[in-house]
Amino acid sequence: MSEPRTRLALLSPHRVEAGDADTLAAAIAAACAAGDVAAVLLRLAPSDERSLVNLVKRLAPAAQAAGAAVIVACAGFAGDLVSVSARGGADGVHVDKPREGTLRELRDRLDDGRILGAGGHEQRHAAMEAGEAGVDYVMFGGLYADGVAPDAETVIERATWWTEIFETPCIAVAHAPEQVGPILATRAEFLGLESALWLGADVAGIQAQVTAAGEADS
């Protein structure tokens, strides 16, 4: 039996807080048990650094016990996200729509094998600049913090373009079940799942689609 070509990446809800930790950790563990999860992106609510570190410490083991990397994002946080990630025991950081120079600065600091990812690429050149800065992946799609969904066709187009040209892996994010198949067809290295698709949902069914797509290509 061939290995699936695409692995799963789970996106937490936006603005995760300490009160969400126990329920979210249990859901992460269940999803990782049901599918081949490569990474979990924790999108945390801004807080003080100590509180964020403690929150990551509560959430990271649920994913890492299953072999999944934990990547920390925190839009609006004015502190040191690299420090939060490292002190919390996570595997890296993710930034959306980074300012000029931010990714290269983070890459210099994350030079010990820790992960740097970037998303929010509304223009192709922004994704290309992220790749040139040395990110470990680019991400296309993912709900905005206000809950608005990006255009699904644009996500498919961007992922298809990227995988055909660039070696840096990409995460293409689905926020509805009907988007899973088209994203798998892009040959993206990672299928990102918004929280509605994995929190209490049929991760095993999605994994079956991933596996079937990989076998069809073998």
Side-chain angles (χ1 to χ4, degrees):
M1 204 179 209
S2 64
E3 292 294 321
R5 67 170 188 260
T6 301
R7 301 187 69 194
L8 302 180
L10 310 181
L11 281 64
S12 81
H14 282 284
R15 299 186 177 278
V16 173
E17 298 180 336
D20 306 317
D22 291 343
T23 299
L24 183 58
I28 289 171
C32 288
D36 179 22
V37 178
V40 177
L41 176 59
L42 299 176
R43 300 184 292 195
L44 309 181
S47 185
D48 62 274
E49 186 168 320
R50 182 175 181 179
S51 296
L52 291 175
V53 168
N54 289 335
L55 179 54
V56 174
K57 285 181 177 180
R58 293 174 65 186
L59 292 170
Q64 292 168 334
V70 174
I71 305 165
V72 178
C74 190
F77 176 56
D80 187 348
L81 192 61
V82 173
S83 176
V84 169
S85 174
R87 291 171 57 203
D91 302 286
V93 302
H94 174 97
V95 291
D96 283 319
K97 298 183 179 180
R99 295 191 299 270
E100 184 175 356
T102 297
L103 291 177
R104 293 191 184 278
E105 177 186 347
L106 290 173
R107 183 72 285 167
D108 288 342
R109 296 186 62 196
L110 296 164
D111 60 355
D112 54 359
R114 286 179 290 169
I115 297 167
L116 173 61
H121 308 297
E122 295 181 353
Q123 304 296 328
R124 287 187 176 191
H125 77 268
M128 293 171 65
E129 288 175 351
E132 292 170 356
V135 298
D136 294 293
Y137 68 83
V138 297
M139 188 171 80
F140 299 109
L143 294 179
Y144 300 114
D146 60 4
V148 174
D151 180 68
E153 291 302 317
T154 300
V155 173
I156 298 297
E157 184 274 328
R158 293 286 191 270
T160 301
W161 159 73
W162 185 269
T163 56
E164 288 177 348
I165 299 174
F166 301 98
E167 293 185 2
T168 301
C170 84
I171 300 175
V173 182
H175 61 83
E178 62 270 18
Q179 296 167 4
V180 170
I183 285 177
L184 292 175
T186 71
R187 300 175 181 268
E189 289 84 358
F190 302 99
L191 166 64
L193 299 180
E194 272 292 349
S195 56
L197 292 181
W198 66 270
L199 276 174
D202 184 17
V203 176
I206 294 173
Q207 182 60 51
Q209 288 184 258
V210 174
T211 301
E215 291 174 346
D217 278 355
S218 62

